């Protein structure tokens, strides 16, 4: 499940130039969710369109997020790698 408030945080971090020009976009991130629900090892694997800092905005949004810790087969929290897409859409 996505961290609580993630969509709102994406909107807050929307790249300024892209917002001003009415450009939407997306960025794909890879990260590790630790067993305590915090995340680290955030890397941007791609962004589209390039040149509007959607990758930076995605990484900035992910920093400090809290996730529901992934569980192993015994129901114990474990670290896991996650790939997700940050979607930036201008909403009225």
């Amino acid at each position: 499940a996505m961290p609580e408030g993630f969509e709102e945080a994406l909107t807050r971090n929307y790249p300024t130039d892209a917002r001003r020009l009415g450009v939407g976009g997306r960025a794909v991130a890879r990260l590790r969710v630790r067993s305590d629900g915090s995340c680290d090892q955030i890397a941007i694997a791609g962004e589209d369109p390039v040149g509007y800092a959607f990758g930076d905005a995605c990484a900035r949004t992910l920093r400090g997020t809290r996730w529901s810790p992934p569980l192993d087969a015994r129901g114990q929290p474990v670290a896991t790698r996650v790939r997700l897409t940050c979607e930036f859409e201008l909403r009225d």
Side-chain angles (χ1 to χ4, degrees):
M2 297 298 272
E4 209 170 306
F6 189 70
E7 296 295 329
E8 294 83 357
L10 278 178
T11 302
R12 276 198 309 278
N13 286 310
Y14 208 109
T16 309
D17 287 348
R19 183 187 301 258
R20 188 168 44 80
L21 295 168
V23 175
R26 63 171 46 104
V28 176
R30 288 195 301 265
L31 62 140
R32 183 179 67 163
V33 177
R34 297 193 293 235
S35 59
D36 66 358
S38 63
C39 71
D40 65 358
Q41 298 180 13
I42 299 166
I44 299 302
E47 59 185 330
D48 178 51
V50 173
Y52 290 96
F54 286 115
D56 290 346
C58 181
R60 194 163 56 248
T61 302
L62 286 165
R63 272 185 217 109
T65 53
R66 302 295 295 187
W67 297 67
S68 301
L71 305 176
D72 68 10
R74 295 188 320 269
Q76 298 299 309
V78 291
T80 191
R81 298 203 166 275
V82 175
R83 178 186 167 96
L84 72 86
T85 301
C86 293
E87 298 271 358
F88 294 90
E89 297 170 353
L90 288 170
R91 295 185 179 85
D92 297 332

